[in-house]
Amino acid sequence: MARRICIAGNWKMNKTREEAVALVSELKEKVGHIQATDTDVVVCPPFTALWGVSEALAGTAIGVGAQNIHWEESGAFTGEISADMLTEIPVQYAIIGHSERRQYFNESDDTVNKRLNAALKAGLTPIVCVGETLEQRESGDTETVVDRQLSGGLAGISAKQMESVILAYEPVWAIGTGRTATPQQAQEVHAFIRRKVADSVGDVSQRVRILYGGSVKPGNASELLAQPDLDGALVGGASLKADDFLGIIEAATA
Ligand code: PGA
């Protein structure tokens, strides 16, 4: 089954509003041709740049995403951002459960699940991240860890809701390290994730997109994306430079 490729840039805590608008203006100019292809392109700047980026990209095919979302609609949650605040901008996507959130900000499978429900309720497309640490991989626990993250994070999500969910497999040891999973390593886990999704929601699993993330670059994107269960990439470092990000988009559309 052909799934639409999605290339999403996770800018993390990088770029002021001005720098962000400059970067998307360059992207906008150069990816005009992707409108006609089968690839979704998304950028996820920090919250402070979302308005500027969204305005700069209005009327283009490039989507905008947030890097996190809180599950409550409003209230005394200092420092948090709700779904309504994002859809107002407008933002179409939200990254949920990134390993840096899990590692540094106590994100758990339970909070991932709450954020996911809030995103779906607001009509945002969630990009839910899972992935094992090096220690977990080396002790042979990759599938156990990913399985636990999927069962907890996706708990109670119906088949219909699952159609709007994007998953991202991001081995923690490959993030920002320059150490990419081999296409075979990535494919194995992606196929495992799809089987797990099939166990809980059936055939819809064939339509769910699973992105790979972890040191994706223009030079390794084609090989990775040639794998049958890799439906795109969640790109950190290489999404901060227009030429690198464009190189990955080109590899995906070639
Ligand atoms: P990286 O980050 O491409 O810099 O490894 C990927 C991510 O964390 O989403």
Side-chain angles (χ1 to χ4, degrees):
M1 125 116 26
R3 290 173 292 266
R4 214 178 145 78
I5 293 284
C6 175
I7 305 294
N10 172 15
W11 295 4
K12 312 191 178 184
M13 197 174 72
N14 291 292
K15 309 258 177 224
T16 61
R17 178 188 187 281
E18 198 183 331
E19 292 164 346
V21 170
L23 174 53
V24 291
S25 304
E26 200 178 339
L27 288 178
K28 178 165 82 169
E29 219 172 276
K30 298 186 180 160
V31 290
H33 65 279
I34 64 147
Q35 304 217 10
T37 72
D38 283 335
T39 303
D40 289 334
V41 176
V42 181
V43 291
C44 304
F47 288 126
T48 46
L50 285 173
W51 279 95
V53 163
S54 174
E55 267 165 36
L57 292 177
T60 73
I62 305 176
V64 181
Q67 297 173 18
N68 193 15
I69 174 181
H70 195 259
W71 54 87
E72 292 292 342
E73 286 173 15
S74 62
F77 301 100
T78 303
E80 295 297 323
I81 302 286
S82 74
D84 283 355
M85 294 171 188
L86 296 174
T87 51
E88 181 194 21
I89 294 176
V91 156
Q92 301 86 35
Y93 297 81
I95 298 175
I96 295 176
H98 188 277
S99 64
E100 285 147 20
R101 302 285 329 159
R102 295 178 189 261
Q103 198 178 343
Y104 306 127
F105 303 101
N106 294 327
E107 187 81 66
S108 66
D109 296 328
D110 180 47
T111 53
V112 166
N113 187 251
K114 288 176 166 169
R115 294 183 206 283
L116 171 59
N117 276 289
L120 289 169
K121 194 168 161 220
L124 289 164
T125 301
I127 303 176
V128 179
C129 306
V130 296
E132 81 288 0
T133 62
L134 185 59
E135 201 186 355
Q136 290 163 334
R137 170 160 288 261
E138 284 176 346
S139 49
D141 290 333
T142 300
E143 293 193 351
T144 314
V145 169
V146 170
D147 188 15
R148 188 175 63 224
Q149 291 171 335
L150 290 171
S151 352
L154 305 179
I157 299 300
S158 68
K160 174 130 191 29
Q161 286 175 309
M162 202 59 211
E163 298 214 34
S164 348
V165 176
I166 296 179
L167 298 174
Y169 168 57
E170 297 205 308
V172 178
W173 47 273
I175 296 180
T177 57
R179 188 175 162 185
T180 322
T182 63
Q184 293 68 27
Q185 281 174 322
Q187 167 58 26
E188 265 174 34
V189 182
H190 280 237
F192 172 76
I193 293 173
R194 203 176 300 287
R195 282 200 303 277
K196 287 288 148 187
V197 174
D199 287 349
S200 69
V201 295
D203 289 350
V204 167
S205 64
Q206 289 304 315
R207 297 202 283 281
V208 173
R209 290 181 289 178
I210 311 174
L211 316 185
Y212 168 79
S215 300
V216 177
K217 299 180 198 74
N220 60 23
S222 315
E223 272 201 302
L224 285 161
L225 295 174
Q227 300 300 311
D229 287 294
L230 269 73
D231 310 310
L234 183 55
V235 186
S239 69
L240 297 173
K241 286 200 196 116
D243 285 346
D244 288 350
F245 195 51
L246 288 162
I248 295 169
I249 296 166
E250 266 155 29
T253 48

